[in-house]
């Protein structure tokens, strides 16, 4: 048997193969790995004593030598519209947020993938924070486990969207690992990939790597020229031009009934004009896609404003006349600072306030 050090081993940090190797190192039967994984993910247990189908001596060994690194420091903010914002304090003291969004027969959880963000989109408060670190796969999945812990009887999560703090494609290895845990039917959470969406602000070189995950892909576009994109999304535009981004989108393999989603945050007198809408129609021509329009939600210190309802309707109508499927996203959770683009920390007279976006990151 391999001798393990005094530091506790976090079992949630293991991949499936890693758990199998760990169990083998202890001289336990191979099926013990699946048993432990099911307890961790499907039953969401927090103590080894709860693993009732493991021998007592095995549970005692795990109690003495291992940990289950679930977040316990949590604040929940409930909106009048039913949205719930969860603020999680991680083991290292960093905070991330996820948002539970009810909408008729759907219950969507918006997940974070980084502490802060690697990008600097000017209309998103998260983009002003800078990147503190990537989340690990188990820290991403723990957001789902946490939300499930807080569901009422009869409720179940129907959709997962990677649209919270951070740029998912800048942390794709951990995101892919998390998707495996979320979709595994044997020991994981059993979500269908059709119910999972990964969003990107435009890391064109990594878009092709999303395809093997068999999930939905959303692109946060927000500008129809490189000049404007450089102004409002400078880091993303420096990495990949609009032309390169759309080329990657056109090359992305779609199944017969699949389509891309383009997210477009509307900023008053910046990207909401008739000529912007006309260019957007031209840019997306021939792409199998839909467009989600997201009116800007202001946050303190932002130079941008929300467009008028008239401007929003006009923009949407131009897209429709251009034969694009276009949808207007309602802002949710604004009374608990849980609406689109509002994630971050602001200093106020009452101390730091955590803000979270729910529809588009940047």
């Amino acid at each position: 048997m391999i001798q393990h050090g005094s530091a506790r081993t976090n079992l949630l940090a293991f991949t499936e193969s890693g758990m199998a190797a760990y169990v083998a190192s202890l001289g336990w039967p191979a099926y013990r790995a699946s048993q432990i994984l099911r307890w961790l993910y499907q039953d969401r247990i927090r103590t080894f004593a709860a693993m009732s189908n493991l021998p007592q001596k095995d549970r005692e060994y795990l109690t003495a030598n291992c940990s289950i690194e679930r977040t316990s420091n949590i604040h929940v903010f409930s909106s009048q519209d039913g949205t719930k914002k969860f603020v999680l304090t991680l083991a290292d003291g960093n905070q991330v947020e996820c948002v539970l969004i009810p909408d008729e027969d759907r219950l969507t959880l918006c997940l974070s993938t980084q502490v802060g963000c690697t990008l600097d989109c000017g209309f998103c408060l998260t983009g002003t924070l800078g990147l503190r670190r990537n989340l690990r796969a188990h820290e991403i999945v723990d957001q789902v486990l946490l939300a499930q812990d807080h569901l009422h009887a009869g409720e179940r999560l129907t959709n997962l969207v990677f649209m919270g703090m951070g740029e998912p494609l800048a942390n794709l290895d951990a995101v892919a690992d998390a998707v495996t845990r979320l979709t595994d039917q044997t020991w994981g959470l059993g979500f269908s990939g059709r119910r999972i969406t990964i969003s990107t602000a435009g890391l064109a070189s990594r878009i092709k790597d999303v395809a093997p995950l068999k999930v939905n892909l959303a692109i946060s576009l927000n500008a129809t020229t490189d000049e404007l994109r450089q102004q409002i999304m400078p880091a993303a535009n420096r990495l990949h031009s609009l032309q390169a981004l759309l080329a990657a989108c056109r090359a992305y393999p779609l199944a017969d009934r699949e389509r891309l989603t383009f997210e477009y945050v509307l900023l008053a007198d910046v990207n909401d004009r008739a000529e912007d809408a006309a260019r957007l129609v031209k840019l997306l021509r021939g792409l199998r896609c839909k467009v989600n329009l997201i009116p800007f939600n202001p946050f303190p210190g932002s130079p941008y404003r929300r467009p008028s309802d008239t401007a929003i309707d006009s923009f949407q109508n131009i897209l429709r006349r251009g034969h694009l499927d276009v949808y207007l996203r309602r802002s949710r959770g604004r009374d608990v600072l849980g609406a689109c683009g509002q994630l971050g920390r602001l200093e106020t007279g009452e101390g730091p306030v955590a803000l979270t976006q729910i529809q588009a990151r940047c």
Side-chain angles (χ1 to χ4, degrees):
M1 181 183 296
I2 295 176
Q3 296 297 317
H4 298 272
S6 58
R8 289 182 178 272
T9 300
N10 175 24
L11 295 191
L12 279 174
F14 283 130
T15 61
E16 182 181 19
S17 60
M19 183 66 77
Y22 183 70
V23 164
S25 78
L26 299 175
W28 293 354
Y31 63 80
R32 191 76 74 231
S34 291
Q35 286 180 318
I36 293 173
L37 288 168
R38 282 193 291 271
W39 282 115
L40 293 176
Y41 292 100
Q42 296 179 357
D43 294 285
R44 306 192 306 279
I45 56 93
R46 291 176 179 263
T47 67
F48 297 110
M51 296 182 174
S52 57
N53 61 350
L54 269 63
Q56 181 66 28
K57 62 180 179 60
D58 291 356
R59 282 179 274 166
E60 291 173 354
Y61 178 87
L62 293 175
T63 300
N65 295 278
C66 300
S67 65
I68 302 171
E69 198 174 289
R70 292 284 312 278
T71 301
S72 57
N73 189 341
I74 306 157
H75 289 88
V76 184
F77 299 88
S78 297
S79 167
Q80 293 179 358
D81 64 21
T83 299
K84 288 185 179 178
K85 180 180 68 171
F86 301 95
V87 181
L88 292 70
T89 301
L90 306 176
D92 61 2
N94 279 306
Q95 288 188 333
V96 294
E97 302 179 10
C98 58
V99 182
L100 189 63
I101 310 158
D103 186 11
E104 297 180 354
D105 60 342
R106 293 160 61 100
L107 188 57
T108 300
L109 183 67
C110 180
L111 301 168
S112 293
T113 58
Q114 295 180 313
V115 181
C117 187
T118 193
L119 301 178
D120 58 358
C121 304
F123 51 84
C124 176
L125 184 55
T126 314
T128 70
L129 302 178
L131 176 65
R132 296 186 180 179
R133 71 170 175 87
N134 288 330
L135 292 182
R136 303 173 183 92
H138 72 275
E139 293 172 325
I140 297 172
V141 176
D142 192 31
Q143 297 169 60
V144 182
L145 302 179
L146 167 69
Q148 290 179 322
D149 287 342
H150 286 78
L151 295 181
H152 298 300
E155 287 185 322
R156 69 178 185 89
L157 294 177
T158 61
N159 297 78
L160 304 175
V161 293
F162 287 79
M163 297 182 183
M165 295 175 70
E167 164 55 55
L169 299 198
N171 188 23
L172 190 54
D173 289 344
V175 168
D177 186 353
V179 168
T180 296
R181 304 178 194 211
L182 293 169
T183 57
D184 186 273
Q185 298 288 330
T186 302
W187 53 265
L189 297 184
F191 283 93
S192 166
R194 295 190 301 272
R195 296 287 186 171
I196 299 175
T197 300
I198 293 177
S199 178
T200 178
L203 298 195
S205 61
R206 304 230 58 185
I207 282 178
K208 64 182 184 303
D209 300 322
V210 176
L213 302 181
K214 305 296 184 184
V215 298
N216 301 306
L217 176 64
I219 299 92
S220 193
L221 197 58
N222 311 315
T224 57
T225 68
D226 278 321
E227 291 75 19
L228 180 56
R229 198 161 175 264
Q230 180 64 35
Q231 176 186 329
I232 66 176
M233 305 174 68
N237 199 65
R238 284 195 301 270
L239 288 170
H240 303 285
S241 68
L242 196 57
Q243 181 180 2
L245 174 58
L246 289 171
C249 292
R250 293 184 185 280
Y252 190 79
L254 290 170
D256 289 343
R257 302 178 67 179
E258 293 178 339
R259 56 181 176 171
L260 298 174
T261 297
F262 287 93
E263 298 162 326
Y264 195 95
V265 177
L266 288 166
L267 308 170
D269 301 322
V270 176
N271 67 353
D272 67 336
R273 297 161 297 187
E275 53 265 38
D276 295 303
R279 279 194 297 266
L280 185 56
V281 170
K282 185 176 180 180
L283 285 175
L284 301 185
R285 186 166 292 143
L287 275 166
R288 199 189 318 158
C289 66
K290 66 177 181 178
V291 178
N292 287 337
L293 297 179
I294 307 167
F296 175 68
N297 290 296
F299 56 85
S302 171
Y304 300 111
R305 295 178 295 108
R306 182 185 181 91
S308 67
D309 290 345
T310 299
I312 293 169
D313 290 343
S314 177
F315 196 97
Q316 185 175 25
N317 288 333
I318 293 172
L319 298 190
R320 284 177 172 163
R321 289 197 298 270
H323 307 292
L324 288 174
D325 286 334
V326 55
Y327 303 89
L328 183 65
R329 288 295 191 193
R330 290 180 299 159
S331 295
R332 305 296 299 269
R334 295 176 70 179
D335 56 325
V336 295
L337 301 175
C340 169
Q342 293 181 325
L343 186 151
R345 295 180 67 85
L346 296 177
E347 296 301 326
T348 68
E350 299 179 353
V353 177
L355 308 175
T356 300
Q357 61 180 30
I358 61 175
Q359 292 291 353
R361 171 188 7 78
C362 51

